[in-house]
Amino acid sequence: MSKTEQPRIPVLDALSQHFKENAHMALRNKQLRHNMRTAMDSLITKRLVSMPDENERESLRELGNHVRARALSKLPELLEKLEANLTKRGVQVHWAETTEEANQIIFDIAKRRQAKLFIKGKSMVSEELNMNHFLKKQGIEALESDMGEYIIQLDYERPSHIIMPAIHKNAKQVGHLFENKLQTPYTDDVDTLIQTGRKVLRNKFFEADIGISGVNFAVAETGSLFLVENEGNGRMSTTVPPVHIAITGIEKVVENLRDTVPLVSLLTRSALGQAITTYVNLISGPRKANELDGPEEVHLVLLDNGRTQAFADAQLRQTLNCIRCGACMNHCPVYTRIGGQAYGTVYPGPIGKIISPHLMGLDKTEDLPIASTLCGACGEVCPVKIPIPELLRRLRKEDVRPPEEPLHYVKGQGARFSRKERTMWNIWKSMNTKPNLYRKFSYLATRLRFMTPNILAWSQNHSKAKPASYTLHELAKKHLGDKK
Amino acid sequence: MSARDNILNKLRSSLEDTKPRPDDFNVDLVTKPWSYDSTQGKIKQLRAMMESVRTEVYQTTQAEWVSIFADVLKQKQVNNLLYAPTVKWGTQIENYWAKNTTLPTLKTYDRPVEEWKHELFFEVDASITSTLGGIAATGSLIVWPTTEEPRLMSLVPPIHFAILEASKIANNFYEAQQILNWADNTPTNALLISGPSKTADIEQVLAYGAHGPKELIVIILEDA
């Protein structure tokens, strides 16, 4: 193997929405499955160790749910309050209905500042915008500064996990990647790799014109952007460059500063099993006249991108409680086996299955609601008690609802609707609700069992589902008859 | 109509005929399991949390701390130190430095970052800042940067020393917000710092010194 062709996990067709093909490809990748399994097992243990008291954990989840639900129940009012407080403090607030609008707002700021280099903290919303790609087309480099994000950006990949974007790679793979791309001697020593990343990125923080970040919670009461992180890249991105642009979904607002207390505890413990992250950064304005550092300009871009659609229905609205901890992914048997990239969406795993249909439309995500065993693990660990399995069932219903039926709850409803399937189920229903028909059918099914067809999807991995030789009614009759 | 109006109108129409949910915030839940009996109890919890993420902690007094600090600087072979001469701790440092030679050169953050960004990024070895207090439950320092001790002082140098007065350690984050009257006194930038910079992004192997300080050293003053 030449030096330039080192082993690596093939880039899945990210954002292709070919979920099934991607999943098959991922399942065949032993390295990926090993990396994911090891990582998820460890995250599951860490979460439990950090929340040993069941009473405390369950009561706090309840409170977390109430805090989020309360914020959503007054969302428009809180957004206005947030905007007013931020504006008062000198932060410029922008609103975007679509990802295109958000990108344009960011680009306009960049143009005005003649910016050439963006340095980015972690932000899933920027992934929604496909912002790096957009800026590149405009001649602006947007460099990821979170170590995980930086690694996958070097490899032209997309994050596979919302907290640990490069979790699908092992140290050897990162070693080879750095060797190829950064021309450093090969090593799989994690400390050395991190120090290499630190050195490269430190220069970029120094040079960058604009820093980008996400927002964990936007506090309406104080006009503060609440950010959690471990590496310090979030602080660097929001403090060193002369301009800081924060981008967030409109749902991230909380009413009071004290509401962040249970939420941050739930977030860091559910995500990584940490009591708190190394840095909690509250930003409430640009540099004041007498201050010696900090950005001269701070902007907040509030993005809709399908969130108002989820908001419109009281049941689906619960999707917006999400605080992006990733615990549902860590516990999901499907996610653990295929990794995050197979989903072909920005948000993978259980939360992705319920948020992506709102962001992209069910017609582009039709397989996601059925890519679940409905085992319930995601709902059981969600720190803000989003009933994910219930919402998956609801989206399955919307997925097969006739497209022409009024009351469209989700864009692209009826993506999996099939007239043939509906007719089959209607026949099945009649057969099982009309005794005469049922008796005749079951008699024929048992007597003609040798004719049982192969049902492809099922028979691939299972033996043929053949009916018994006699119907249950016949057997019961025989049994009872014998007893007499 | 603007994007703002469209978004707000859609949200409002979805909430028609509904009432906001009541505020049933449960203070006990976020304070009771996270309370420690005395100052010593708080120090013990804070130290345990901070040391578990590789923070060095020294417990000392107002009279003693500078000499201990100077020894640690020597041990770590620090060549220069960024400090704030106008805060109380800065004066103590100056007095001690005046009487002792062979100590690291002192540097001050006395001009806008743009005027000395290169030096700050690539030539400063260590810094020392004060804190507004700490949080025992999570092992965190509360830092609100000021003109005297700007934001990057606790972030850019590879070693960060922080002075924490034992009497200012709160039990938990909720209590800290109450003590500081945080909601009414919101600063431009407020931080909780709970260890040196770290990452577990590669194979979940914990590595320190990702982007911020590689070492965090906390000096707890018990009689302050």
Side-chain angles (χ1 to χ4, degrees):
Chain A
M1 201 178 291
S2 81
K3 255 196 149 188
T4 49
E5 285 174 73
Q6 299 295 347
R8 63 189 290 273
I9 291 173
V11 181
L12 291 169
D13 193 2
L15 299 188
S16 68
Q17 291 106 45
H18 296 145
F19 175 77
K20 283 182 183 161
E21 289 88 333
N22 287 347
H24 281 298
M25 206 202 299
L27 285 173
R28 283 194 295 270
N29 189 331
K30 280 191 183 151
Q31 182 71 63
L32 172 76
R33 291 186 64 168
H34 174 80
N35 295 353
M36 293 305 296
R37 174 91 257 174
T38 322
M40 297 309 118
D41 283 353
S42 142
L43 287 168
I44 289 171
T45 314
K46 283 184 192 163
R47 171 185 174 272
L48 262 189
V49 170
S50 73
M51 299 177 154
D53 181 345
E54 195 183 329
N55 275 338
E56 189 263 344
R57 180 178 71 223
E58 293 312 311
S59 315
L60 199 67
R61 286 177 68 219
E62 194 70 32
L63 176 60
N65 172 280
H66 288 196
V67 166
R68 289 297 301 135
R70 165 160 50 87
L72 292 179
S73 77
K74 25 179 129 162
L75 186 57
E77 171 196 329
L78 293 187
L79 282 168
E80 282 175 333
K81 193 169 173 188
L82 174 75
E83 182 186 39
N85 281 332
L86 282 170
T87 310
K88 207 160 62 190
R89 296 176 170 280
V91 177
Q92 299 173 53
V93 180
H94 312 262
W95 302 69
E97 284 184 275
T98 62
T99 53
E100 291 79 18
E101 277 175 32
N103 273 328
Q104 193 56 47
I105 291 165
I106 293 166
F107 181 52
D108 286 344
I109 300 169
K111 263 197 305 201
R112 192 166 43 74
R113 300 286 309 202
Q114 297 176 317
K116 287 283 156 234
L117 175 65
F118 278 46
I119 191 89
K120 284 192 57 219
K122 220 176 137 22
S123 150
M124 292 310 292
V125 173
S126 78
E127 298 290 335
E128 274 181 54
L129 304 184
N130 205 0
M131 189 193 82
N132 296 359
H133 182 72
F134 169 84
L135 289 173
K136 199 175 173 185
K137 281 201 294 196
Q138 319 293 334
I140 298 170
E141 185 192 356
L143 192 72
E144 298 289 346
S145 65
D146 172 272
M147 285 294 177
E149 291 273 3
Y150 176 63
I151 290 165
I152 56 164
Q153 190 180 32
L154 272 183
D155 219 1
Y156 306 107
E157 285 188 71
R158 292 239 166 200
S160 60
H161 190 285
I162 63 171
I163 304 289
M164 277 163 299
I167 198 68
H168 57 289
K169 285 187 189 295
N170 62 19
K172 285 197 175 83
Q173 292 167 317
V174 178
H176 286 302
L177 180 68
F178 278 17
E179 186 187 17
N180 287 337
K181 298 280 169 78
L182 304 175
Q183 281 78 47
T184 50
Y186 171 80
T187 174
D188 55 18
D189 176 67
V190 171
D191 275 319
T192 315
L193 292 170
I194 295 297
Q195 288 312 307
T196 305
R198 175 184 172 109
K199 215 171 150 193
V200 175
L201 289 164
R202 203 151 249 247
N203 283 307
K204 298 293 182 179
F205 287 122
F206 182 77
E207 293 165 12
D209 306 300
I210 292 184
I212 295 271
S213 79
V215 176
N216 290 97
F217 313 113
V219 187
E221 176 188 27
T222 54
S224 305
L225 309 175
F226 193 107
L227 276 95
V228 300
E229 54 132 358
N230 276 313
E231 294 185 2
N233 70 308
R235 282 187 68 195
M236 285 280 199
S237 307
T238 58
T239 318
V240 183
V243 180
H244 166 211
I245 306 175
I247 39 183
T248 188
I250 47 171
E251 80 282 18
K252 285 288 186 80
V253 64
V254 295
E255 187 171 12
N256 302 312
L257 186 64
R258 59 142 214 244
D259 290 340
T260 61
V261 177
L263 292 183
V264 74
S265 173
L266 285 164
L267 171 61
T268 58
R269 288 194 285 166
S270 303
L272 298 158
Q274 292 182 355
I276 199 160
T277 48
T278 303
Y279 300 112
V280 171
N281 187 1
L282 278 94
I283 298 165
S284 313
R287 179 194 309 200
K288 283 187 187 157
N290 63 347
E291 292 177 337
L292 302 177
D293 61 17
E296 295 154 14
E297 287 179 31
V298 177
H299 299 262
L300 175 69
V301 181
L302 290 164
L303 176 71
D304 177 351
N305 191 29
R307 287 163 172 84
T308 45
Q309 173 189 280
F311 191 84
D313 180 275
Q315 189 187 24
L316 297 171
R317 187 177 305 155
Q318 298 175 92
T319 310
L320 302 178
N321 277 346
C322 179
I323 56 171
R324 306 281 189 265
C325 71
C328 60
M329 291 166 207
N330 305 345
H331 290 76
C332 174
V334 177
Y335 174 86
T336 304
R337 281 161 184 82
I338 63 174
Q341 293 174 334
Y343 292 82
T345 50
V346 168
Y347 301 94
I351 186 64
K353 290 175 207 171
I354 60 169
I355 185 84
S356 304
H358 296 289
L359 306 186
M360 303 159 71
L362 258 178
D363 44 348
K364 294 201 176 90
T365 53
E366 58 178 69
D367 289 333
L368 295 188
I370 55 165
S372 168
T373 61
L374 292 185
C375 72
C378 50
E380 214 167 276
V381 297
C382 177
V384 286
K385 300 191 101 167
I386 303 174
I388 301 178
E390 183 189 312
L391 297 179
L392 282 171
R393 284 197 298 272
R394 168 68 193 280
L395 287 169
R396 287 179 181 191
K397 206 167 127 190
E398 300 301 330
D399 220 358
V400 295
R401 181 197 287 277
E404 68 278 5
E405 206 174 278
L407 290 178
H408 283 59
Y409 294 101
V410 190
K411 191 170 78 182
Q413 94 174 11
R416 291 181 54 82
F417 174 76
S418 144
R419 214 158 289 285
K420 204 165 102 192
E421 192 181 306
R422 186 146 286 221
T423 314
M424 291 287 286
W425 281 115
N426 280 335
I427 294 172
W428 181 258
K429 191 167 111 191
S430 315
M431 251 164 16
N432 285 282
T433 48
K434 296 189 174 114
N436 242 334
L437 211 55
Y438 176 77
R439 270 195 291 273
K440 278 178 192 150
F441 168 72
S442 52
Y443 181 83
L444 280 176
T446 49
R447 290 341 185 256
L448 301 176
R449 59 197 290 267
F450 64 91
M451 286 172 71
T452 311
N454 267 332
I455 304 165
L456 206 61
W458 175 267
S459 315
Q460 255 174 1
N461 300 308
H462 305 79
S463 49
K464 221 189 258 183
K466 252 188 195 177
S469 314
Y470 297 95
T471 69
L472 179 66
H473 282 199
E474 285 170 328
L475 290 170
K477 212 173 192 176
K478 190 165 167 252
H479 180 71
L480 293 172
D482 286 351
K483 285 221 163 154
K484 270 181 193 166
Chain B
M1 259 206 300
S2 67
R4 179 183 186 276
D5 294 341
N6 284 339
I7 292 170
L8 290 173
N9 288 344
K10 279 191 212 168
L11 295 177
R12 285 226 157 80
S13 73
S14 303
L15 287 176
E16 254 169 42
D17 304 321
T18 65
K19 274 194 204 142
R21 305 251 316 209
D23 188 349
D24 56 359
F25 194 89
N26 185 345
V27 174
D28 280 358
L29 205 55
V30 293
T31 52
K32 276 208 174 142
W34 315 106
S35 296
Y36 310 90
D37 46 15
S38 58
T39 303
Q40 283 311 316
K42 285 190 263 186
I43 295 176
K44 198 175 153 214
Q45 166 71 13
L46 177 123
R47 278 192 77 148
M49 294 303 287
M50 295 209 92
E51 283 167 350
S52 73
V53 285
R54 216 190 267 182
T55 309
E56 271 180 57
V57 183
Y58 294 88
Q59 253 172 277
T60 173
T61 60
Q62 288 231 38
E64 302 275 314
W65 79 268
V66 193
S67 67
I68 293 172
F69 170 57
D71 285 346
V72 179
L73 285 174
K74 270 190 218 161
Q75 256 174 51
K76 297 200 180 281
Q77 299 180 323
V78 168
N79 288 316
N80 58 57
L81 172 78
L82 186 61
Y83 84 118
T86 44
V87 304
K88 186 173 163 192
W89 323 116
T91 319
Q92 280 185 274
I93 289 173
E94 278 177 357
N95 292 339
Y96 190 87
W97 256 243
K99 283 181 242 146
N100 294 275
T101 48
T102 72
L103 284 168
T105 320
L106 294 178
K107 283 179 186 271
T108 53
Y109 201 143
D110 54 2
R111 60 221 128 119
V113 63
E114 290 75 17
E115 291 173 26
W116 71 301
K117 199 172 170 187
H118 191 275
E119 188 184 341
L120 172 65
F121 261 69
F122 303 105
E123 289 164 35
V124 176
D125 288 349
S127 67
I128 182 163
T129 69
S130 36
T131 64
L132 262 81
I135 297 172
T138 49
S140 311
L141 304 171
I142 305 168
V143 176
W144 291 9
T146 58
T147 308
E148 294 162 303
E149 295 176 332
R151 308 178 198 208
L152 292 174
M153 205 161 158
S154 59
L155 180 65
V156 174
I159 307 177
H160 174 212
F161 290 86
I163 296 187
L164 170 62
E165 293 162 86
S167 58
K168 292 188 182 167
I169 303 175
N171 281 299
N172 47 65
F173 190 21
Y174 179 86
E175 194 183 288
Q177 291 183 359
Q178 304 304 309
I179 293 171
L180 294 168
N181 194 12
W182 198 317
D184 295 325
N185 282 324
T186 315
T188 335
N189 188 211
L191 302 157
L192 303 184
I193 300 176
S194 314
S197 148
K198 66 178 187 288
T199 182
D201 268 348
I202 303 177
E203 258 191 56
Q204 283 215 69
V205 177
L206 196 54
Y208 286 89
H211 294 292
K214 295 176 183 179
E215 292 179 61
L216 174 65
I217 299 148
V218 178
I219 302 166
I220 301 178
L221 304 186
E222 286 195 76
D223 58 358

